[in-house]
Amino acid sequence: MRLSIPRASSDRRPMTENRTENNTYEAVVVGGGAAGLSAALVLGRARRRALVVDAGEPRNTPSPHMHGYLSRDGMSPAEFLAIGREEIARYGVELVRDRVVDATRDGDFSVVLASGRTVRARQLVIATGLKDELPDVPGLAERFGRDVVHCPYCHGWEARDLPTGVLATSPLSVHQALMVTQWSKDVRFFLHELSESALTDDDLRRLAAAGVTVVPGKVTGLVVADDRLTGVRLSDGTVHDREVLYAAPRAVPNNHLLVRLGAELRETPFGAYPVIDERGLTTVPGLWAAGNASGFAEQVINAASRGYRAGAAINGELLMTDLDSVRV
Ligand SMILES: Cc1cc2nc3c(=O)[nH]c(=O)nc-3n(C[C@H](O)[C@H](O)[C@H](O)COP(=O)(O)OP(=O)(O)OC[C@H]3O[C@@H](n4cnc5c(N)ncnc54)[C@H](O)[C@@H]3O)c2cc1C
C-alpha cells in the first residue's frame, strides 16, 4: 500500500512542541564541560527542549590556560566555558548548577538531582568527564596545572627547553618520559616507587637513545621558591634542580551513572569507559556518552566534537521516533 503525503493534522504534533511539562525534556545532558555544552548547543539550535545539569568542576580547572584548541589557543578554561554557556542560553537550553545523583530508565529516563529535583528525559547524554587522582607527593597537588603537569600537548610548548622531570607513576610513565624529550633535551626520569627491574630492555635502550637520565629513589617533596618549582627532593635528601615536573595522575572516569543504567563498559589502562558507536550511543537505547566520560584521550577540542556528534545524532533519533509514531 502506498502511503499518502501527510498533511497538517491534529495527531501530528509539531517537532518543536514541548510535549511535556516543566520537568520533562527531550534531552538532558549531564555535565557542562566542552562535551556537554557542545551537545547542548546542537540540540538548542535544533529547537530541542534540553537541560544541562552541571556540577561545575571541569577537569582542567587547575590550569590558567587551555592550549591546542584551534582559534581558542591560550584562552582560560573558565572563559571558554562561560562563552559556551552564553551560547547555549541563546537557543533556550536551560542549565542548572546541580549534580545528578541517580538515573533510571523505563523507556525514558528519570534523572535525580542532588537538590531533590527529578527530571524526565527522552535521551540522556553522559558528559561527566573524569577525575585525576594525583600521586601522593607532598606539595604536588598545589602545583598541578602550573609547573606540575601531565600532558605535553597541553603544556609542553610553555615548558620547552626547561630542566624537566618526569615522575614515574606506572610503567607507562616511560612513554611520557620519552615523549617530553620532544620539548626539552634536559629530562630526568624519577623512578619514585617504580623499581628499576620494571623497566624493560627496550625501555632502557629508548631512554638512553633519547638522552633521558634515569634517577632511582623515592620522591618525597618539591622545592618551591617565589611560587615557582625549582627542585625535586628525594628521600636521601638530594635535590634535583627542575622547573617543570610531569606526573601522570590516575584517571578515574565519572562513570557511575553509566554503570547504574547498565551500559556495557570496556576496561582500559586508564579506567572503564562505555562501549559506544561512532556517534556516542552506548549499549543502552537513548543513553549517550561524550568527552572524557567516553574516553581518556579526549582533549577539549575532541570532547567538543564528540558532544556535537551526539547532539546531532540525538536530534535525528528523536525526529525518526516521532515520525514513526505518526499514523498516516
Ligand atoms: C591540568 C589540566 C590541563 C589541561 N589542559 C588542557 C589543554 O590545554 N588543552 C586541552 O585540549 N585539554 C586539556 N586538558 C584536558 C581537558 O581538561 C579535557 O579534555 C576536558 O576537560 C574534557 O571535557 P569534558 O567535557 O569531557 O569534561 P569536563 O571538562 O571535566 O566537564 C565535565 C563536567 O561534568 C560535571 N559533572 C561530573 N559529574 C557530574 C554529575 N554527576 N552531575 C552533574 N555534573 C557532573 C563536572 O563537574 C564538569 O563540570 C587538561 C586537563 C588537565 C587536568
Side-chain angles (χ1 to χ4, degrees):
M1 187 183 76
R2 191 144 179 259
L3 296 179
S4 58
I5 295 170
R7 292 163 201 271
S9 75
S10 55
D11 70 347
R12 184 178 173 192
R13 78 185 172 81
M15 291 301 128
T16 54
E17 181 194 305
N18 304 341
R19 72 171 187 181
T20 53
E21 296 73 61
N22 276 348
N23 274 329
T24 306
Y25 296 86
E26 292 178 299
V28 167
V29 179
V30 190
L37 291 178
S38 188
L41 183 61
V42 179
L43 288 163
R45 285 179 52 76
R47 311 179 74 185
R48 294 295 178 188
R49 179 167 158 74
L51 170 73
V52 178
V53 184
D54 183 33
E57 294 162 359
R59 187 180 163 211
N60 53 353
T61 302
S63 247
H65 304 291
M66 173 185 93
H67 288 285
Y69 195 119
L70 188 67
S71 84
R72 298 293 176 269
D73 188 55
M75 183 180 264
S76 95
E79 187 187 355
F80 175 75
L81 294 180
I83 293 171
R85 287 191 292 271
E86 275 172 33
E87 288 177 352
I88 67 163
R90 278 183 215 157
Y91 301 101
V93 177
E94 294 170 45
L95 183 143
V96 290
R97 181 54 48 87
D98 208 329
R99 180 175 291 279
V100 173
V101 290
D102 196 16
T104 50
R105 180 174 178 272
D106 54 15
D108 289 353
F109 296 89
S110 279
V111 180
V112 183
L113 280 51
S115 59
R117 183 179 171 196
T118 297
V119 295
R120 298 275 297 165
R122 294 176 64 193
Q123 304 277 319
L124 185 63
V125 183
I126 305 300
T128 46
L130 62 79
K131 262 191 297 295
D132 292 291
E133 270 186 17
L134 294 169
D136 187 16
V137 172
L140 185 145
E142 288 82 342
R143 305 212 64 77
F144 185 58
R146 298 193 290 157
D147 38 27
V148 174
V149 294
H150 72 300
C151 158
Y153 294 102
C154 308
H155 308 280
W157 175 266
E158 287 64 39
R160 65 193 182 282
D161 299 329
L162 293 179
T164 296
V166 177
L167 181 77
T169 54
S170 81
L172 295 174
S173 298
V174 173
H175 183 253
Q176 192 178 31
L178 296 172
M179 289 301 292
V180 302
T181 60
Q182 179 61 21
W183 286 270
S184 173
K185 294 300 170 212
D186 178 4
V187 178
R188 293 188 195 165
F189 183 39
F190 297 102
L191 290 185
H192 189 44
E193 288 172 346
L194 198 68
S195 83
E196 276 179 272
S197 60
L199 302 182
T200 65
D201 288 346
D202 277 350
D203 291 338
L204 292 168
R205 182 180 47 74
R206 287 188 178 133
L207 289 164
V212 175
T213 307
V214 177
V215 183
K218 188 172 159 77
V219 171
T220 53
L222 305 181
V223 183
V224 175
D226 295 330
D227 198 26
R228 292 169 68 113
L229 179 72
T230 59
V232 172
R233 181 179 293 112
L234 300 188
S235 55
D236 64 4
T238 53
V239 170
H240 291 251
D241 295 344
R242 300 288 93 183
E243 293 180 31
V244 63
L245 180 68
Y246 286 84
R250 192 170 81 88
V252 183
N254 295 324
N255 61 15
H256 72 281
L257 296 171
L258 293 161
V259 172
R260 170 80 167 121
L261 289 162
E264 190 184 332
L265 301 182
R266 65 197 157 86
E267 290 294 336
T268 79
F270 308 103
Y273 297 88
V275 174
I276 51 171
D277 70 12
E278 69 281 0
R279 303 166 306 160
L281 182 64
T282 71
T283 51
V284 177
L287 182 64
W288 306 75
N292 275 158
S294 67
F296 164 77
E298 310 295 354
Q299 297 288 82
V300 181
I301 199 161
N302 310 116
S305 161
R306 289 276 187 189
Y308 191 108
R309 291 188 79 173
I314 287 169
N315 180 51
E317 287 284 326
L318 289 168
L319 180 64
M320 295 312 157
T321 304
D322 287 342
L323 291 176
D324 289 347
S325 72
V326 176
R327 277 198 284 143
V328 289

